[in-house]
């Protein structure tokens, strides 16, 4: 790496004033790649250590030895024949000592040395095997000790884990019990609140029912008073109307008979004849006449009672030739007295009724009235 003095003059930074150089002393430029080089060297050392370790411990078993016997060729030596026997003396045979050559002795010595060497090698092998067995036994014991230690540690960990699980389980059960207790308390509080709300609602409903019953009773009493007042007014109006109708009827009869309005018994017979003739002339109404009368009367019906059963009231009406209502009465009641009276009042209030197609109203007619025609 080039130093500051070896850099090109054009790449050097400009010189600074002395005060600036004093404030900022010179610092050498830091070399780049130092960390990377250090890490690479560390990696190579670790790799070399791994290679050496596995190279030394690559083969830990003792190599199996072999046995070999060396033999030297022994030359064939012919034995010395015994001397011929004496014919006269029979001596005891004396064994002739075997004469061994130096080559045989050397061969025996070499063989003995070879046997001793083999015995030594075998003893060394046995010792190495014994040492290997001892080493393996020690390794096995060490492994057993480590395995026992590992088992003990594992048992301790399992015992600690079991205690921790038991503690967590007890804590969880305690928390569950606390939550159940809180839930029960909330449920009890809610049940009490609901019971109180139901009691309040029942009390309010009872109070409302009592107030409504009282209001209904007052309304019924007021309606009864109004009905009585209306009935009395209707009776008074009917009495007045009957008086006016009777007077008008007397006037019309007098006009129909051609005589004065005030007469004796002969005039009464004349009235009866006129009525009969009038009934004969206008007694039969056209088919659509009753509908015309009904359409005029119904708008004048003033009834605020119950009409859910749609009662039917049949009213018999006596009419003058010009349609004036002479009398109106209920010929067949609907079963609802209020509806019957309202229909009769409406017929009287609709006078005069429309004339028929012949220009005259029929003398009498019966018309049925329903609230929902």
């Amino acid at each position: 790496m080039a130093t500051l003095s070896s850099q090109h003059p054009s790449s050097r930074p400009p010189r600074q004033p002395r005060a600036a150089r004093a404030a900022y002393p010179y610092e050498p430029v830091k070399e780049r790649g130092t960390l990377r080089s250090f890490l690479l060297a560390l990696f190579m050392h670790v790799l070399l250590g791994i290679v050496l370790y596995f190279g030394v411990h690559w083969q830990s078993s003792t190599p199996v030895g072999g046995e070999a016997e060396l033999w030297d060729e022994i030359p064939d030596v012919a034995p010395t024949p015994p001397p011929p026997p004496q014919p006269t003396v029979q001596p005891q045979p004396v064994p002739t000592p075997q004469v061994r050559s130096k080559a045989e002795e050397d061969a025996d010595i070499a063989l003995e040395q070879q046997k001793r060497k083999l015995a030594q090698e075998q003893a060394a092998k046995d010792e190495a095997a014994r040492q290997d067995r001892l080493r393996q036994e020690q390794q096995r014991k060490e492994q057993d000790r480590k395995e026992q230690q590992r088992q003990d540690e594992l048992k301790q960990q399992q015992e600690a884990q079991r205690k921790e699980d038991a503690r967590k389980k007890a804590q969880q059960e305690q928390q569950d019990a606390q939550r159940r207790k809180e839930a029960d308390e909330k449920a009890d509080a809610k049940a009490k609140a609901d019971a109180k709300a139901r009691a309040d609602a029942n009390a309010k409903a009872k109070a409302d029912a009592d107030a409504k019953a009282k209001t209904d009773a007052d309304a019924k009493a007021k309606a009864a008073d109004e009905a009585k007042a209306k009935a009395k007014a209707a009776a008074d109006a009917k009495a007045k109307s009957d008086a006016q109708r009777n007077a008008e009827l007397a006037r019309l009869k007098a006009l129909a008979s051609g005589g004065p309005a005030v007469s004796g018994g002969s005039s009464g017979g004349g009235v009866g004849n006129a009525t009969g003739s009038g009934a004969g002339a206008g007694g039969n109404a056209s088919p659509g006449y009753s509908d015309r009368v009904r359409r005029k009367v119904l708008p004048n019906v003033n009834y605020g009672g119950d009409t859910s059963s749609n009662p039917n009231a049949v009213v018999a009406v006596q009419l003058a030739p010009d349609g004036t209502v002479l009398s109106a009465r209920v010929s067949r009641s609907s079963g609802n007295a209020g509806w019957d009276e309202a229909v009769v009042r409406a017929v009287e209030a609709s006078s005069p009724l429309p004339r028929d197609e012949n220009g005259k109203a029929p003398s009498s007619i019966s018309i049925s009235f329903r609230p929902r025609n």
Side-chain angles (χ1 to χ4, degrees), residues 247-269:
E248 184 67 18
L249 181 60
R251 185 181 66 77
L252 292 175
K253 286 181 178 181
L255 291 175
S257 61
V262 181
S263 61
S266 58
S267 62

Side-chain angles (χ1 to χ4, degrees), residues 261-336:
V262 181
S263 61
S266 58
S267 62
V271 172
N273 294 333
T275 303
S277 61
N284 295 325
S286 63
Y289 181 74
S290 59
D291 293 334
R292 293 167 56 194
V293 172
R294 192 180 295 108
R295 285 194 298 270
K296 183 174 182 180
V297 173
L298 285 176
N300 296 323
V301 176
N302 185 11
Y303 178 69
D306 183 17
T307 59
S308 59
S309 61
N310 197 21
N312 183 23
V314 180
V315 180
V317 184
Q318 299 290 331
L319 298 173
D322 60 352
T324 303
V325 178
L326 300 179
S327 65
R329 63 181 181 83
V330 178
S331 63
R332 189 174 65 189
S333 176
S334 63
N336 190 338

Side-chain angles (χ1 to χ4, degrees), residues 8-25:
H8 195 272
S10 61
S11 63
R12 295 178 182 177
R15 296 180 64 84
Q16 297 179 355
R18 186 180 298 277
R21 292 199 300 271
Y24 300 97

